[in-house]
PDB file of all heavy atoms in Angstrom:
ATOM      1  N   LEU A  39     -10.180  47.180 -22.649  1.00 46.00           N
ATOM      2  CA  LEU A  39     -10.193  48.139 -23.736  1.00 46.00           C
ATOM      3  C   LEU A  39      -9.584  49.465 -23.326  1.00 46.00           C
ATOM      4  O   LEU A  39      -8.835  50.103 -24.040  1.00 46.00           O
ATOM      5  CB  LEU A  39     -11.648  48.381 -24.115  1.00 46.00           C
ATOM      6  CG  LEU A  39     -12.013  48.215 -25.566  1.00 46.00           C
ATOM      7  CD1 LEU A  39     -13.412  48.689 -25.790  1.00 46.00           C
ATOM      8  CD2 LEU A  39     -11.047  48.953 -26.450  1.00 46.00           C
ATOM      9  N   ASP A  40      -9.928  49.896 -22.111  1.00 51.00           N
ATOM     10  CA  ASP A  40      -9.520  51.212 -21.675  1.00 51.00           C
ATOM     11  C   ASP A  40      -8.006  51.340 -21.541  1.00 51.00           C
ATOM     12  O   ASP A  40      -7.463  52.431 -21.530  1.00 51.00           O
ATOM     13  CB  ASP A  40     -10.176  51.539 -20.346  1.00 51.00           C
ATOM     14  CG  ASP A  40     -10.046  50.393 -19.374  1.00 51.00           C
ATOM     15  OD1 ASP A  40     -10.087  49.248 -19.834  1.00 51.00           O
ATOM     16  OD2 ASP A  40      -9.891  50.631 -18.185  1.00 51.00           O
ATOM     17  N   VAL A  48       4.668  52.973 -21.684  1.00 78.00           N
ATOM     18  CA  VAL A  48       4.408  52.708 -20.268  1.00 78.00           C
ATOM     19  C   VAL A  48       4.178  51.207 -20.079  1.00 78.00           C
ATOM     20  O   VAL A  48       4.716  50.582 -19.172  1.00 78.00           O
ATOM     21  CB  VAL A  48       3.173  53.489 -19.785  1.00 78.00           C
ATOM     22  CG1 VAL A  48       2.793  53.069 -18.381  1.00 78.00           C
ATOM     23  CG2 VAL A  48       3.452  54.979 -19.848  1.00 78.00           C
ATOM     24  N   TRP A  52       6.167  48.546 -17.771  1.00 80.00           N
ATOM     25  CA  TRP A  52       5.546  47.608 -16.837  1.00 80.00           C
ATOM     26  C   TRP A  52       5.994  46.178 -17.120  1.00 80.00           C
ATOM     27  O   TRP A  52       6.336  45.437 -16.226  1.00 80.00           O
ATOM     28  CB  TRP A  52       4.029  47.685 -16.952  1.00 80.00           C
ATOM     29  CG  TRP A  52       3.437  48.915 -16.296  1.00 80.00           C
ATOM     30  CD1 TRP A  52       4.102  49.833 -15.548  1.00 80.00           C
ATOM     31  CD2 TRP A  52       2.080  49.318 -16.334  1.00 80.00           C
ATOM     32  NE1 TRP A  52       3.245  50.800 -15.117  1.00 80.00           N
ATOM     33  CE2 TRP A  52       1.983  50.517 -15.586  1.00 80.00           C
ATOM     34  CE3 TRP A  52       0.926  48.804 -16.923  1.00 80.00           C
ATOM     35  CZ2 TRP A  52       0.787  51.194 -15.408  1.00 80.00           C
ATOM     36  CZ3 TRP A  52      -0.262  49.486 -16.744  1.00 80.00           C
ATOM     37  CH2 TRP A  52      -0.335  50.665 -16.001  1.00 80.00           C
ATOM     38  N   TYR A  56       8.002  43.632 -14.574  1.00 81.00           N
ATOM     39  CA  TYR A  56       7.539  42.323 -14.115  1.00 81.00           C
ATOM     40  C   TYR A  56       8.211  41.182 -14.866  1.00 81.00           C
ATOM     41  O   TYR A  56       7.817  40.035 -14.745  1.00 81.00           O
ATOM     42  CB  TYR A  56       6.012  42.218 -14.253  1.00 81.00           C
ATOM     43  CG  TYR A  56       5.272  43.128 -13.305  1.00 81.00           C
ATOM     44  CD1 TYR A  56       4.727  44.326 -13.744  1.00 81.00           C
ATOM     45  CD2 TYR A  56       5.139  42.804 -11.956  1.00 81.00           C
ATOM     46  CE1 TYR A  56       4.065  45.178 -12.874  1.00 81.00           C
ATOM     47  CE2 TYR A  56       4.479  43.646 -11.082  1.00 81.00           C
ATOM     48  CZ  TYR A  56       3.945  44.832 -11.542  1.00 81.00           C
ATOM     49  OH  TYR A  56       3.293  45.663 -10.678  1.00 81.00           O
ATOM     50  N   PRO A  85      -1.967  43.626  -5.396  1.00 74.00           N
ATOM     51  CA  PRO A  85      -0.873  43.580  -4.443  1.00 74.00           C
ATOM     52  C   PRO A  85      -0.778  42.200  -3.804  1.00 74.00           C
ATOM     53  O   PRO A  85      -1.775  41.516  -3.642  1.00 74.00           O
ATOM     54  CB  PRO A  85      -1.280  44.622  -3.395  1.00 74.00           C
ATOM     55  CG  PRO A  85      -2.261  45.498  -4.082  1.00 74.00           C
ATOM     56  CD  PRO A  85      -2.969  44.641  -5.064  1.00 74.00           C
ATOM     57  N   ALA A 165     -29.168  34.769  -1.286  1.00 88.00           N
ATOM     58  CA  ALA A 165     -28.899  34.516  -2.704  1.00 88.00           C
ATOM     59  C   ALA A 165     -27.430  34.582  -3.073  1.00 88.00           C
ATOM     60  O   ALA A 165     -27.053  34.252  -4.178  1.00 88.00           O
ATOM     61  CB  ALA A 165     -29.673  35.508  -3.569  1.00 88.00           C
ATOM     62  N   GLN A 268     -20.128  31.644  -9.693  1.00 88.00           N
ATOM     63  CA  GLN A 268     -20.508  32.850 -10.405  1.00 88.00           C
ATOM     64  C   GLN A 268     -21.940  33.245 -10.047  1.00 88.00           C
ATOM     65  O   GLN A 268     -22.209  34.384  -9.699  1.00 88.00           O
ATOM     66  CB  GLN A 268     -20.386  32.580 -11.913  1.00 88.00           C
ATOM     67  CG  GLN A 268     -20.000  33.785 -12.726  1.00 88.00           C
ATOM     68  CD  GLN A 268     -18.570  34.227 -12.455  1.00 88.00           C
ATOM     69  OE1 GLN A 268     -17.680  33.413 -12.349  1.00 88.00           O
ATOM     70  NE2 GLN A 268     -18.367  35.525 -12.327  1.00 88.00           N
ATOM     71  N   ARG A 277     -14.414  31.559  -9.366  1.00 87.00           N
ATOM     72  CA  ARG A 277     -14.576  32.996  -9.609  1.00 87.00           C
ATOM     73  C   ARG A 277     -13.231  33.662  -9.797  1.00 87.00           C
ATOM     74  O   ARG A 277     -13.042  34.475 -10.683  1.00 87.00           O
ATOM     75  CB  ARG A 277     -15.258  33.624  -8.394  1.00 87.00           C
ATOM     76  CG  ARG A 277     -16.714  33.913  -8.567  1.00 87.00           C
ATOM     77  CD  ARG A 277     -17.202  34.641  -7.340  1.00 87.00           C
ATOM     78  NE  ARG A 277     -17.207  36.076  -7.568  1.00 87.00           N
ATOM     79  CZ  ARG A 277     -18.196  36.720  -8.161  1.00 87.00           C
ATOM     80  NH1 ARG A 277     -19.236  36.051  -8.583  1.00 87.00           N
ATOM     81  NH2 ARG A 277     -18.146  38.005  -8.348  1.00 87.00           N
TER      82      ARG A 277
ATOM     83  N   ILE C   5     -16.816  47.023 -22.879  1.00 35.00           N
ATOM     84  CA  ILE C   5     -16.171  45.719 -22.912  1.00 35.00           C
ATOM     85  C   ILE C   5     -16.251  45.156 -21.515  1.00 35.00           C
ATOM     86  O   ILE C   5     -15.988  45.831 -20.553  1.00 35.00           O
ATOM     87  CB  ILE C   5     -14.697  45.908 -23.266  1.00 35.00           C
ATOM     88  CG1 ILE C   5     -14.598  46.326 -24.693  1.00 35.00           C
ATOM     89  CG2 ILE C   5     -13.933  44.654 -23.004  1.00 35.00           C
ATOM     90  CD1 ILE C   5     -14.880  45.230 -25.621  1.00 35.00           C
ATOM     91  N   ASN C  56      -9.243  51.920 -13.081  1.00 80.00           N
ATOM     92  CA  ASN C  56      -9.465  51.024 -14.206  1.00 80.00           C
ATOM     93  C   ASN C  56     -10.941  50.889 -14.528  1.00 80.00           C
ATOM     94  O   ASN C  56     -11.309  50.575 -15.639  1.00 80.00           O
ATOM     95  CB  ASN C  56      -8.869  49.661 -13.853  1.00 80.00           C
ATOM     96  CG  ASN C  56      -8.957  48.675 -14.986  1.00 80.00           C
ATOM     97  OD1 ASN C  56      -8.612  49.003 -16.108  1.00 80.00           O
ATOM     98  ND2 ASN C  56      -9.434  47.483 -14.706  1.00 80.00           N
ATOM     99  N   SER C 132       4.549  59.185 -16.340  1.00 86.00           N
ATOM    100  CA  SER C 132       3.988  58.265 -17.341  1.00 86.00           C
ATOM    101  C   SER C 132       4.110  56.808 -16.914  1.00 86.00           C
ATOM    102  O   SER C 132       3.270  55.988 -17.244  1.00 86.00           O
ATOM    103  CB  SER C 132       4.690  58.473 -18.680  1.00 86.00           C
ATOM    104  OG  SER C 132       6.038  58.048 -18.573  1.00 86.00           O
ATOM    105  N   VAL C 133       5.144  56.470 -16.160  1.00 86.00           N
ATOM    106  CA  VAL C 133       5.347  55.062 -15.852  1.00 86.00           C
ATOM    107  C   VAL C 133       4.313  54.529 -14.857  1.00 86.00           C
ATOM    108  O   VAL C 133       4.074  53.333 -14.758  1.00 86.00           O
ATOM    109  CB  VAL C 133       6.799  54.824 -15.354  1.00 86.00           C
ATOM    110  CG1 VAL C 133       6.935  55.191 -13.886  1.00 86.00           C
ATOM    111  CG2 VAL C 133       7.193  53.372 -15.592  1.00 86.00           C
ATOM    112  N   VAL C 134       3.649  55.444 -14.148  1.00 87.00           N
ATOM    113  CA  VAL C 134       2.617  54.999 -13.205  1.00 87.00           C
ATOM    114  C   VAL C 134       1.419  54.447 -13.964  1.00 87.00           C
ATOM    115  O   VAL C 134       0.845  53.419 -13.598  1.00 87.00           O
ATOM    116  CB  VAL C 134       2.194  56.161 -12.277  1.00 87.00           C
ATOM    117  CG1 VAL C 134       0.958  55.777 -11.473  1.00 87.00           C
ATOM    118  CG2 VAL C 134       3.335  56.506 -11.345  1.00 87.00           C
ATOM    119  N   THR C 193       0.907  46.749  -8.127  1.00 82.00           N
ATOM    120  CA  THR C 193       0.926  45.683  -7.132  1.00 82.00           C
ATOM    121  C   THR C 193       1.448  46.180  -5.786  1.00 82.00           C
ATOM    122  O   THR C 193       1.853  45.383  -4.957  1.00 82.00           O
ATOM    123  CB  THR C 193       1.778  44.509  -7.629  1.00 82.00           C
ATOM    124  OG1 THR C 193       3.041  45.015  -8.058  1.00 82.00           O
ATOM    125  CG2 THR C 193       1.115  43.805  -8.779  1.00 82.00           C
ATOM    126  N   VAL C 239     -19.311  42.164  -4.188  1.00 90.00           N
ATOM    127  CA  VAL C 239     -19.169  41.683  -5.565  1.00 90.00           C
ATOM    128  C   VAL C 239     -20.366  40.783  -5.858  1.00 90.00           C
ATOM    129  O   VAL C 239     -20.602  39.805  -5.154  1.00 90.00           O
ATOM    130  CB  VAL C 239     -17.868  40.879  -5.745  1.00 90.00           C
ATOM    131  CG1 VAL C 239     -17.702  40.464  -7.196  1.00 90.00           C
ATOM    132  CG2 VAL C 239     -16.678  41.695  -5.281  1.00 90.00           C
ATOM    133  N   ASP C 241     -22.838  38.877  -8.852  1.00 83.00           N
ATOM    134  CA  ASP C 241     -23.046  38.479 -10.235  1.00 83.00           C
ATOM    135  C   ASP C 241     -24.315  39.128 -10.775  1.00 83.00           C
ATOM    136  O   ASP C 241     -25.325  39.224 -10.073  1.00 83.00           O
ATOM    137  CB  ASP C 241     -23.168  36.960 -10.307  1.00 83.00           C
ATOM    138  CG  ASP C 241     -23.279  36.501 -11.741  1.00 83.00           C
ATOM    139  OD1 ASP C 241     -22.309  36.688 -12.481  1.00 83.00           O
ATOM    140  OD2 ASP C 241     -24.341  35.998 -12.117  1.00 83.00           O
ATOM    141  N   GLU C 253     -30.727  41.709   0.376  1.00 91.00           N
ATOM    142  CA  GLU C 253     -29.321  41.427   0.657  1.00 91.00           C
ATOM    143  C   GLU C 253     -28.440  42.555   0.144  1.00 91.00           C
ATOM    144  O   GLU C 253     -27.349  42.780   0.645  1.00 91.00           O
ATOM    145  CB  GLU C 253     -28.891  40.134  -0.043  1.00 91.00           C
ATOM    146  CG  GLU C 253     -29.294  38.878   0.683  1.00 91.00           C
ATOM    147  CD  GLU C 253     -29.043  37.662  -0.190  1.00 91.00           C
ATOM    148  OE1 GLU C 253     -27.876  37.364  -0.456  1.00 91.00           O
ATOM    149  OE2 GLU C 253     -30.027  37.030  -0.613  1.00 91.00           O
TER     150      GLU C 253
END
Side-chain angles (χ1 to χ4, degrees):
Chain A
L39 233 189
D40 47 325
V48 172
W52 284 353
Y56 292 102
Q268 212 69 42
R277 258 185 97 84
Chain C
I5 290 287
N56 184 48
S132 68
V133 81
V134 170
T193 51
V239 183
D241 184 65
E253 280 170 67

